[in-house]
Amino acid sequence: MDRTCCGSRGGWMKVADIDMTKSNHQCPVGFKLITRTTTPYRACGRPDRLSGCTSTTFATNGARYSRVCGRILGYQIGSPDAFSRQSRGIDSYYIDGISLTHGQSPRKHIWSFAGAVNEGSYFSTSICPCSNNGYRGTVPSFVGNDYFCDSAIRGEGSFSPGLFYPSDPLWDGQGCGATSTCCAFNNPPWFCKQLSQPTTDNIELRICGGSSNSADDSPFEVVELFVN
């Protein structure tokens, strides 16, 4: 009841609490546990597959809510392509990153967490719309401004397929270089979403990618979600 989010204190119900820095926390069923000998030690990614989304659902237990707030911290593997596949629509892998939605047929968008290949590249559709180097990706209309976008590679840095980039977590609001304003856009790491109408829907989290997870992925380390 002391939680302050979206500018208001109290009345928030926690529906998701995953922190893989804690040894007693586990990945949701169906997600792949990624372990390392250096920080980050544990994260949750897509299982071995060519493309698509891996999903888990957080129950709201029938609670009626109209606002969602929270944070997700993740990492970059390889060369995710942000919103370059947006034409596939909300029910498919429109994003290389993490999608939060509620409801079904179609899903209703809450927030998107896009991973980009780097901060500024000739792969113009594979970088963040908050890049300021002259090349900008675009976002689907159903996403609007409700997203975070980040990359662990500064400037137009090169990338290696399948390489884990641990030094700069995604969507934490820190570490942006001179070619990006993404650390300021929507003030990550915490998001706040006012829904168009109240609902009791459960909340779905999906990690999506258009390539094999051995080439690129956006595994998460922390997921915290609240409804009000």
Side-chain angles (χ1 to χ4, degrees):
M1 295 301 291
D2 289 332
R3 165 66 54 181
T4 297
C5 207
C6 297
S8 65
R9 180 178 180 181
W12 292 94
M13 182 177 78
K14 180 178 283 189
V15 296
D17 183 11
I18 300 174
D19 185 349
M20 298 303 292
T21 66
K22 300 177 180 178
S23 60
N24 63 329
H25 282 218
Q26 303 299 322
C27 293
V29 174
F31 286 75
K32 180 179 180 179
L33 175 63
I34 299 170
T35 58
R36 295 164 40 86
T37 56
T38 58
T39 305
Y41 295 103
R42 302 163 74 235
C44 304
R46 290 184 294 145
D48 298 332
R49 60 172 56 186
L50 293 177
S51 62
C53 300
T54 301
S55 169
T56 190
T57 300
F58 300 109
T60 61
N61 297 309
R64 188 174 177 84
Y65 64 95
S66 58
R67 293 186 295 177
V68 184
C69 84
R71 65 180 181 131
I72 295 177
L73 301 181
Y75 290 92
Q76 178 174 341
I77 294 179
S79 55
D81 296 316
F83 294 108
S84 65
R85 297 177 180 85
Q86 61 170 292
S87 62
R88 289 189 170 273
I90 194 170
D91 289 322
S92 186
Y93 49 97
Y94 70 90
I95 188 176
D96 275 14
I98 296 177
S99 167
L100 282 184
T101 57
H102 68 95
Q104 296 288 331
S105 302
R107 294 171 169 90
K108 301 175 182 65
H109 183 257
I110 297 175
W111 208 262
S112 289
F113 300 78
V117 57
N118 54 29
E119 283 190 349
S121 170
Y122 57 89
F123 297 107
S124 60
T125 62
S126 300
I127 65 174
C128 294
C130 39
S131 168
N132 58 9
N133 74 333
Y135 298 101
R136 295 175 183 270
T138 57
V139 300
S141 59
F142 59 81
V143 171
N145 289 321
D146 297 332
Y147 70 91
F148 295 145
C149 188
D150 200 358
S151 176
I153 303 176
R154 305 282 73 83
E156 296 187 13
S158 60
F159 59 87
S160 297
L163 182 62
F164 199 115
Y165 294 90
S167 61
D168 185 8
L170 301 181
W171 317 305
D172 63 347
Q174 301 179 42
C176 292
T179 58
S180 172
T181 60
C182 297
C183 285
F185 182 75
N186 277 332
N187 298 312
W190 289 90
F191 75 89
C192 173
K193 175 64 176 281
Q194 176 72 51
L195 303 183
S196 59
Q197 60 184 20
T199 184
T200 59
D201 289 341
N202 295 330
I203 294 177
E204 183 182 21
L205 178 152
R206 291 177 294 160
I207 300 181
C208 298
S211 302
S212 165
N213 69 322
S214 63
D216 51 66
D217 202 10
S218 305
F220 62 79
E221 181 180 59
V222 173
V223 178
E224 262 191 296
L225 300 176
F226 299 82
V227 297
N228 176 287

